[in-house]
Amino acid sequence: MLLAALLLAVAIGAYAHFVRHDARVFSRFKTVTETQARQRVFLRWTWQAAAYFLGMPLIGLALLGRIEALWSFPAEFAPAATDMPEIGDMSAGFIGALAGAVFAGGVIGGVLASRRRKPAKPRKAIDIDAMIPRNRAETLRVALLGANAALTEEVCFRLYIPLLFMPLGASPWIGFGAAALLFGAMHRYQGWLGVVLTSLLGMMFAFAYLASGGLALPILLHLLLNWNGLILRPMIKALASRRAD
């Protein structure tokens, strides 16, 4: 119990530092225009996120003697998983439908965005425009960044953080709820709406984790959403805009 409480305090402190630092870095990044510099930043963000959101959980799980939780669903989460629908038998069809929905949504959203008139106020509630890749090299690095985020953040916020709450006597839902709030706060650089939406997404990923009994499905969901928002939809929007011109 004491070790779990200590690891939880260290994790929250480390992630609070990450959030403050990330907001400042992203603010400066928005002024960077040279593509080589942007590519270096994308790669630096990738390994830094891996250190925070994968390195720390791996060390913590090793100290707790719970490395097997990466591939074996923790028994502590069973009470929360009881009421979840079982999707294991239809996972292939579910994943195929999901991938199709994400692709179709990206196409439709990109086309509609390309035809929309510019708003009177250019300020956006969700501020991610600076992360949109501007050429092929940037696209590859952003794709890597999105894949890294999907893997490492799901290990951290759907497994590690909720698991640390269990020895403290908390219910699984308290652990998953707290992790979702931390997950949302980590996206403070996107603005207030980004924090709200990513907190809700955090709970959606938690439902996917509990329903499927493993991390593979939430990682896939996270990956598809990252690539849709940062690569697919902007790409479709740019193509539709060029055709319209």
Side-chain angles (χ1 to χ4, degrees):
M1 177 177 175
L2 180 60
L3 178 58
L6 178 61
L7 290 173
L8 182 60
V10 170
I12 292 175
Y15 299 146
H17 176 268
F18 179 89
V19 168
R20 290 195 300 270
H21 175 73
D22 203 40
R24 292 194 299 268
V25 168
F26 188 71
S27 179
R28 292 195 298 267
F29 175 72
K30 289 189 288 188
T31 66
V32 178
T33 58
E34 201 273 318
T35 186
Q36 293 296 331
R38 285 170 53 83
Q39 292 172 41
R40 287 193 295 271
V41 172
F42 289 139
L43 290 177
R44 183 166 69 248
W45 284 350
T46 299
W47 70 257
Q48 286 177 343
Y52 270 95
F53 304 120
L54 185 60
M56 187 178 298
L58 289 179
I59 293 172
L61 290 172
L63 290 174
L64 291 169
R66 298 300 305 275
I67 284 292
E68 83 286 348
L70 290 169
W71 58 84
S72 179
F73 189 74
E76 296 94 326
F77 296 159
T82 301
D83 297 329
M84 292 288 106
E86 296 183 4
I87 62 175
D89 295 336
M90 59 177 183
S91 57
F94 177 81
I95 291 171
L98 174 66
V102 170
F103 179 79
V107 172
I108 294 171
V111 172
L112 291 177
S114 69
R115 297 180 177 179
R116 190 179 303 139
R117 294 182 180 274
K118 291 184 178 180
K121 294 181 179 180
R123 181 179 177 81
K124 294 185 177 181
I126 299 180
D127 184 11
I128 62 170
D129 284 356
M131 295 180 65
I132 303 300
R134 302 175 182 178
N135 53 51
R136 182 175 299 179
E138 289 189 12
T139 298
L140 292 174
R141 284 155 179 78
V142 170
L144 176 62
L145 178 63
N148 175 78
L151 171 63
T152 63
E153 291 172 11
E154 291 310 302
V155 169
C156 178
F157 294 103
R158 250 52 70 190
L159 171 62
Y160 181 57
I161 296 297
L163 193 62
L164 291 179
F165 277 88
M166 298 302 95
L168 307 181
S171 73
W173 287 118
I174 290 178
F176 286 112
L181 292 175
L182 288 172
F183 179 67
M186 191 188 69
H187 295 80
R188 184 167 69 95
Y189 68 91
Q190 295 183 5
W192 68 268
L193 185 57
V195 172
V196 172
L197 290 179
T198 49
S199 295
L200 294 175
L201 283 173
M203 287 307 300
M204 184 190 79
F205 296 148
F207 293 152
Y209 175 50
L210 293 169
S212 64
L215 288 170
L217 182 57
I219 288 173
L220 177 62
L221 284 169
H222 199 153
L223 175 64
L224 291 174
L225 288 171
N226 282 349
W227 282 358
N228 178 61
L230 292 173
I231 298 175
L232 177 60
R233 187 171 176 177
M235 185 182 300
I236 297 297
K237 177 182 175 181
L239 289 173
S241 297
R242 283 200 291 268
R243 289 183 179 179
D245 294 339

